């Protein structure tokens, strides 16, 4: 028989056998079983897996500690940057008060100088009047006044008039003396206010310099910790790689045993799966987790306004009631990220923009924002409340709670406005409610 014809007949025969088998309703042939490892092999693999799991656990703890340290460093940087924010606000306020006090002092001095000049002029007129009276032995001009009189009554009237003029000069002089004293007192009070304003300005300037120094220290700490952060990331990557390796080792022969057992119970599992699928198809799907709604229309407006800025860059010092603005220099970490060249928000700037939707004007400092409304226990937080984080008892970050354990925030330099799960590490035990 030719080779090609024999091969064709074998294919036909095999096809006939397969069709007959399927058509007769007999069981489909089970594939060959997978390898079945022995109990000794399984025990050895488990021992190695346990040892590897111990190693992975140790590395996992190191990663957790490293991440906690990174969070502490980040909180410290944010705290110092917020100190700089506060110092800048206080300095601007003090400078405004000093400028107003200086203007008041200059106005009071000008008024006092004017009063003194008027007194000098009146006194000069009075001296001239007295000298003339002395030279004529009577009231100045009395001889010419009397010579022109037409009757005794006219003469008497002119004498009274001249005496009245002399008396009015003295009265005016007294009034001007009182005015000069009053102006001088106001001038003194204005200068005292100016001295106080200058003192406040000097104190605010000192606070700003201290904040700048703290920011510089934060930048130095950030630079010093850069190598450490890289090592932490490398350790984390190594831990994750070793974790994968450990999981592979654990699955090793046990996975083979499981596949062998699955092979033995293939028919039973297939029937159970079909029954389960049938039940699921008959039962339908389940529900989803509802999204929490804000407690009021104002809260909804505030949240929607904040969410409208998702993806906007973080910029230290950026943001006002009208939207994102160019960041400012801090002489430290923000400058390293070029925040002064970005249009965006910092954490407190985002709150200013969000709450402007409800007509609120918040200061550009999270420490002041924490006192801007009513405090409620953290467990009673509601959508639209502000959440705060502190280090050493001092607030350094703020975010807006939007419900379902989530918040919207401008996190830190190099990041963007985002939605995140509420972080409870370092969070203060209250929320601030404005609405």
């Amino acid at each position: 028989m030719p080779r090609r014809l024999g091969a064709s007949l074998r294919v036909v025969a095999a096809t006939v056998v397969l069709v007959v088998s399927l058509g007769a309703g007999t069981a489909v042939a089970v594939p060959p079983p997978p390898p079945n490892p022995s109990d000794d092999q399984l025990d050895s693999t488990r021992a190695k897996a346990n040892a590897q799991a111990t190693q992975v656990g140790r590395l996992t703890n190191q990663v957790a500690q490293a991440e906690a340290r990174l969070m502490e460093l980040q909180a410290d940087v944010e705290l110092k940057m917020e100190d700089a924010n506060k110092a800048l606000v206080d300095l601007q306020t003090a400078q405004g008060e000093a400028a107003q006090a200086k203007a008041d002092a200059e106005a009071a001095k000008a008024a006092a100088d004017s009063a003194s000049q008027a007194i000098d002029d009146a006194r000069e007129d009075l001296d001239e009047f007295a000298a003339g009276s002395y030279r004529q032995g009577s009231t100045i001009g009395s001889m010419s006044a009397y010579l022109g009189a037409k009757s005794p009554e006219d003469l008497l009237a002119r004498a009274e008039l001249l005496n009245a003029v002399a008396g009015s000069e003295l009265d005016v002089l007294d009034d001007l003396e009182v005015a000069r004293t009053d102006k001088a007192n106001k001038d003194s009070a204005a200068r005292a206010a100016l001295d106080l304003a200058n003192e406040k300005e000097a104190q605010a300037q000192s606070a700003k310099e201290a904040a700048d120094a703290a920011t510089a220290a934060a930048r130095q700490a950030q630079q010093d910790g850069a190598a450490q952060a890289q090592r932490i990331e490398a350790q984390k990557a190594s831990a994750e790689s070793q974790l994968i390796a450990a999981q592979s080792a654990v699955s090793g022969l046990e996975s083979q045993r499981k596949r062998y057992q699955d092979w033995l119970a293939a028919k039973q599992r297939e029937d159970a799966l079909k029954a389960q699928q049938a039940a699921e198809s008959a039962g339908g799907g389940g529900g989803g987790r509802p999204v929490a709604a804000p407690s009021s229309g104002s809260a909804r407006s505030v949240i929607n306004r904040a969410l409208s800025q998702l993806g906007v860059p973080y910029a230290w010092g950026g943001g006002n009631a009208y939207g994102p603005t160019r960041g400012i220099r801090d002489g430290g970490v923000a400058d390293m990220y070029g925040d002064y060249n970005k249009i965006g928000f910092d954490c407190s700037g985002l709150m200013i923009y969000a709450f402007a939707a409800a007509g609120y004007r918040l200061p550009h400092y999270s420490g002041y924002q924490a006192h801007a409304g009513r405090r409620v226990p953290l467990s009673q937080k509601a959508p639209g409340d502000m959440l705060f984080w502190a280090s050493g008892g001092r607030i350094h970050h703020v975010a807006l709670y939007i419900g379902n354990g989530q918040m919207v925030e401008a996190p830190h330099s190099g990041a963007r406005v985002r939605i995140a799960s509420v972080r409870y590490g370092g969070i203060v035990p209250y929320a601030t409610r404005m609405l």
Side-chain angles (χ1 to χ4, degrees), residues 340-368:
Y340 55 86
N341 275 331
K342 296 178 180 178
I343 304 296
F345 295 95
D346 62 9
C347 63
S348 52
L350 181 61
M351 298 302 104
I352 292 174
Y353 179 71
F355 280 92
Y360 288 97
R361 297 181 62 183
L362 295 177
H364 205 141
Y365 170 52
S366 59
Y368 290 155

Short mmCIF file of all heavy atoms in Angstrom, two decimals, residues 340-368:
data_model
loop_
_atom_site.label_atom_id
_atom_site.label_comp_id
_atom_site.label_asym_id
_atom_site.label_seq_id
_atom_site.Cartn_x
_atom_site.Cartn_y
_atom_site.Cartn_z
N TYR A 340 7.23 77.95 42.06
CA TYR A 340 7.07 79.36 41.73
C TYR A 340 6.83 79.57 40.24
O TYR A 340 6.47 80.68 39.82
CB TYR A 340 8.31 80.14 42.18
CG TYR A 340 9.61 79.60 41.62
CD1 TYR A 340 10.08 79.98 40.37
CD2 TYR A 340 10.36 78.68 42.36
CE1 TYR A 340 11.26 79.47 39.86
CE2 TYR A 340 11.55 78.15 41.85
CZ TYR A 340 11.99 78.56 40.61
OH TYR A 340 13.16 78.05 40.10
N ASN A 341 7.01 78.54 39.44
CA ASN A 341 6.75 78.62 38.00
C ASN A 341 5.49 77.84 37.61
O ASN A 341 5.23 77.64 36.43
CB ASN A 341 7.94 78.09 37.20
CG ASN A 341 9.00 79.15 36.98
OD1 ASN A 341 8.69 80.34 36.92
ND2 ASN A 341 10.25 78.74 36.87
N LYS A 342 4.72 77.37 38.60
CA LYS A 342 3.53 76.57 38.32
C LYS A 342 2.27 77.36 38.69
O LYS A 342 2.28 78.18 39.61
CB LYS A 342 3.56 75.26 39.13
CG LYS A 342 4.71 74.34 38.74
CD LYS A 342 4.69 73.08 39.62
CE LYS A 342 5.84 72.14 39.26
NZ LYS A 342 5.87 70.95 40.13
N ILE A 343 1.20 77.09 37.98
CA ILE A 343 -0.11 77.64 38.29
C ILE A 343 -0.90 76.52 38.98
O ILE A 343 -1.17 75.49 38.37
CB ILE A 343 -0.86 78.11 37.03
CG1 ILE A 343 -0.01 79.11 36.27
CG2 ILE A 343 -2.21 78.71 37.41
CD1 ILE A 343 0.27 80.39 37.01
N GLY A 344 -1.23 76.71 40.25
CA GLY A 344 -1.91 75.63 40.95
C GLY A 344 -2.36 76.04 42.35
O GLY A 344 -2.60 77.22 42.64
N PHE A 345 -2.48 75.05 43.22
CA PHE A 345 -2.94 75.23 44.59
C PHE A 345 -1.96 74.59 45.56
O PHE A 345 -1.31 73.59 45.23
CB PHE A 345 -4.30 74.55 44.82
CG PHE A 345 -5.44 75.12 44.04
CD1 PHE A 345 -5.81 74.56 42.82
CD2 PHE A 345 -6.16 76.20 44.51
CE1 PHE A 345 -6.87 75.06 42.09
CE2 PHE A 345 -7.22 76.71 43.78
CZ PHE A 345 -7.58 76.15 42.58
N ASP A 346 -1.88 75.14 46.77
CA ASP A 346 -1.38 74.35 47.89
C ASP A 346 -2.59 73.91 48.70
O ASP A 346 -3.74 74.18 48.31
CB ASP A 346 -0.35 75.12 48.73
CG ASP A 346 -0.90 76.37 49.38
OD1 ASP A 346 -2.14 76.57 49.33
OD2 ASP A 346 -0.11 77.15 49.94
N CYS A 347 -2.38 73.20 49.81
CA CYS A 347 -3.52 72.58 50.51
C CYS A 347 -4.53 73.61 50.99
O CYS A 347 -5.74 73.47 50.80
CB CYS A 347 -3.02 71.70 51.66
SG CYS A 347 -2.15 72.60 52.98
N SER A 348 -4.05 74.70 51.62
CA SER A 348 -4.97 75.71 52.13
C SER A 348 -5.54 76.56 51.01
O SER A 348 -6.68 77.05 51.11
CB SER A 348 -4.27 76.59 53.18
OG SER A 348 -3.06 77.11 52.68
N GLY A 349 -4.78 76.75 49.93
CA GLY A 349 -5.30 77.50 48.79
C GLY A 349 -6.49 76.80 48.14
O GLY A 349 -7.44 77.45 47.69
N LEU A 350 -6.46 75.45 48.09
CA LEU A 350 -7.59 74.70 47.52
C LEU A 350 -8.84 74.89 48.38
O LEU A 350 -9.95 75.00 47.86
CB LEU A 350 -7.24 73.22 47.42
CG LEU A 350 -8.31 72.31 46.81
CD1 LEU A 350 -8.64 72.73 45.38
CD2 LEU A 350 -7.87 70.85 46.84
N MET A 351 -8.67 74.96 49.72
CA MET A 351 -9.82 75.19 50.60
C MET A 351 -10.40 76.59 50.37
O MET A 351 -11.62 76.78 50.41
CB MET A 351 -9.40 75.02 52.07
CG MET A 351 -8.91 73.62 52.44
SD MET A 351 -10.09 72.30 52.14
CE MET A 351 -9.41 71.59 50.63
N ILE A 352 -9.52 77.58 50.17
CA ILE A 352 -10.00 78.94 49.90
C ILE A 352 -10.91 78.94 48.67
O ILE A 352 -12.00 79.51 48.68
CB ILE A 352 -8.81 79.90 49.68
CG1 ILE A 352 -8.02 80.08 51.00
CG2 ILE A 352 -9.29 81.26 49.18
CD1 ILE A 352 -6.75 80.88 50.83
N TYR A 353 -10.45 78.28 47.61
CA TYR A 353 -11.22 78.23 46.36
C TYR A 353 -12.53 77.46 46.55
O TYR A 353 -13.59 77.91 46.08
CB TYR A 353 -10.38 77.58 45.27
CG TYR A 353 -11.11 77.47 43.95
CD1 TYR A 353 -11.38 78.59 43.19
CD2 TYR A 353 -11.53 76.22 43.49
CE1 TYR A 353 -12.06 78.48 41.98
CE2 TYR A 353 -12.22 76.11 42.28
CZ TYR A 353 -12.47 77.25 41.54
OH TYR A 353 -13.14 77.13 40.35
N ALA A 354 -12.49 76.32 47.24
CA ALA A 354 -13.68 75.49 47.40
C ALA A 354 -14.76 76.21 48.19
O ALA A 354 -15.92 76.28 47.78
CB ALA A 354 -13.31 74.16 48.07
N PHE A 355 -14.40 76.80 49.33
CA PHE A 355 -15.39 77.40 50.21
C PHE A 355 -15.86 78.77 49.71
O PHE A 355 -16.85 79.30 50.22
CB PHE A 355 -14.86 77.49 51.64
CG PHE A 355 -14.96 76.19 52.37
CD1 PHE A 355 -13.90 75.30 52.37
CD2 PHE A 355 -16.12 75.83 53.03
CE1 PHE A 355 -14.00 74.08 53.03
CE2 PHE A 355 -16.23 74.63 53.69
CZ PHE A 355 -15.16 73.74 53.69
N ALA A 356 -15.18 79.33 48.73
CA ALA A 356 -15.68 80.55 48.11
C ALA A 356 -17.02 80.27 47.42
O ALA A 356 -17.83 81.19 47.23
CB ALA A 356 -14.67 81.09 47.11
N ALA A 357 -17.28 79.02 47.06
CA ALA A 357 -18.56 78.65 46.45
C ALA A 357 -19.72 78.88 47.40
O ALA A 357 -20.86 79.06 46.96
CB ALA A 357 -18.53 77.18 46.00
N ALA A 358 -19.46 78.84 48.70
CA ALA A 358 -20.50 79.07 49.70
C ALA A 358 -20.39 80.46 50.32
O ALA A 358 -21.05 80.75 51.32
CB ALA A 358 -20.42 78.00 50.80
N GLY A 359 -19.54 81.31 49.75
CA GLY A 359 -19.43 82.69 50.24
C GLY A 359 -18.47 82.89 51.38
O GLY A 359 -18.47 83.96 52.00
N TYR A 360 -17.61 81.91 51.68
CA TYR A 360 -16.66 82.04 52.78
C TYR A 360 -15.32 82.56 52.28
O TYR A 360 -14.88 82.20 51.18
CB TYR A 360 -16.46 80.70 53.49
CG TYR A 360 -17.64 80.26 54.31
CD1 TYR A 360 -18.57 79.38 53.77
CD2 TYR A 360 -17.84 80.73 55.61
CE1 TYR A 360 -19.68 78.98 54.52
CE2 TYR A 360 -18.94 80.33 56.35
CZ TYR A 360 -19.85 79.45 55.80
OH TYR A 360 -20.93 79.07 56.53
N ARG A 361 -14.65 83.36 53.09
CA ARG A 361 -13.30 83.84 52.78
C ARG A 361 -12.36 83.29 53.85
O ARG A 361 -12.40 83.72 55.01
CB ARG A 361 -13.26 85.38 52.78
CG ARG A 361 -14.14 86.00 51.70
CD ARG A 361 -14.05 87.51 51.71
NE ARG A 361 -12.69 87.95 51.44
CZ ARG A 361 -12.31 89.22 51.43
NH1 ARG A 361 -13.19 90.17 51.72
NH2 ARG A 361 -11.07 89.55 51.16
N LEU A 362 -11.55 82.35 53.48
CA LEU A 362 -10.64 81.69 54.41
C LEU A 362 -9.23 82.28 54.29
O LEU A 362 -8.82 82.68 53.20
CB LEU A 362 -10.58 80.18 54.14
CG LEU A 362 -11.88 79.41 54.38
CD1 LEU A 362 -11.69 77.94 53.99
CD2 LEU A 362 -12.31 79.51 55.83
N PRO A 363 -8.47 82.31 55.41
CA PRO A 363 -7.07 82.76 55.33
C PRO A 363 -6.20 81.69 54.68
O PRO A 363 -6.54 80.51 54.71
CB PRO A 363 -6.69 82.98 56.80
CG PRO A 363 -7.59 82.06 57.55
CD PRO A 363 -8.88 82.01 56.79
N HIS A 364 -5.08 82.12 54.11
CA HIS A 364 -4.20 81.19 53.40
C HIS A 364 -3.22 80.54 54.39
O HIS A 364 -2.01 80.64 54.22
CB HIS A 364 -3.45 81.93 52.29
CG HIS A 364 -3.03 81.03 51.18
ND1 HIS A 364 -3.07 81.39 49.85
CD2 HIS A 364 -2.57 79.76 51.19
CE1 HIS A 364 -2.65 80.40 49.10
NE2 HIS A 364 -2.32 79.40 49.89
N TYR A 365 -3.77 79.86 55.38
CA TYR A 365 -2.94 79.17 56.38
C TYR A 365 -3.80 78.12 57.06
O TYR A 365 -4.85 78.43 57.63
CB TYR A 365 -2.39 80.17 57.39
CG TYR A 365 -1.72 79.54 58.60
CD1 TYR A 365 -0.71 78.60 58.43
CD2 TYR A 365 -2.09 79.89 59.89
CE1 TYR A 365 -0.09 78.03 59.53
CE2 TYR A 365 -1.47 79.33 60.99
CZ TYR A 365 -0.48 78.40 60.81
OH TYR A 365 0.13 77.83 61.90
N SER A 366 -3.41 76.85 56.98
CA SER A 366 -4.24 75.77 57.48
C SER A 366 -4.47 75.88 58.99
O SER A 366 -5.52 75.48 59.49
CB SER A 366 -3.60 74.41 57.15
OG SER A 366 -2.30 74.31 57.72
N GLY A 367 -3.48 76.43 59.73
CA GLY A 367 -3.66 76.58 61.18
C GLY A 367 -4.81 77.50 61.51
O GLY A 367 -5.57 77.26 62.46
N TYR A 368 -4.99 78.58 60.72
CA TYR A 368 -6.12 79.48 60.94
C TYR A 368 -7.42 78.85 60.44
O TYR A 368 -8.49 79.06 61.02
CB TYR A 368 -5.88 80.81 60.23
CG TYR A 368 -4.79 81.66 60.84
CD1 TYR A 368 -4.10 82.60 60.07
CD2 TYR A 368 -4.43 81.52 62.17
CE1 TYR A 368 -3.10 83.38 60.62
CE2 TYR A 368 -3.43 82.29 62.73
CZ TYR A 368 -2.76 83.23 61.96
OH TYR A 368 -1.77 84.00 62.50
#
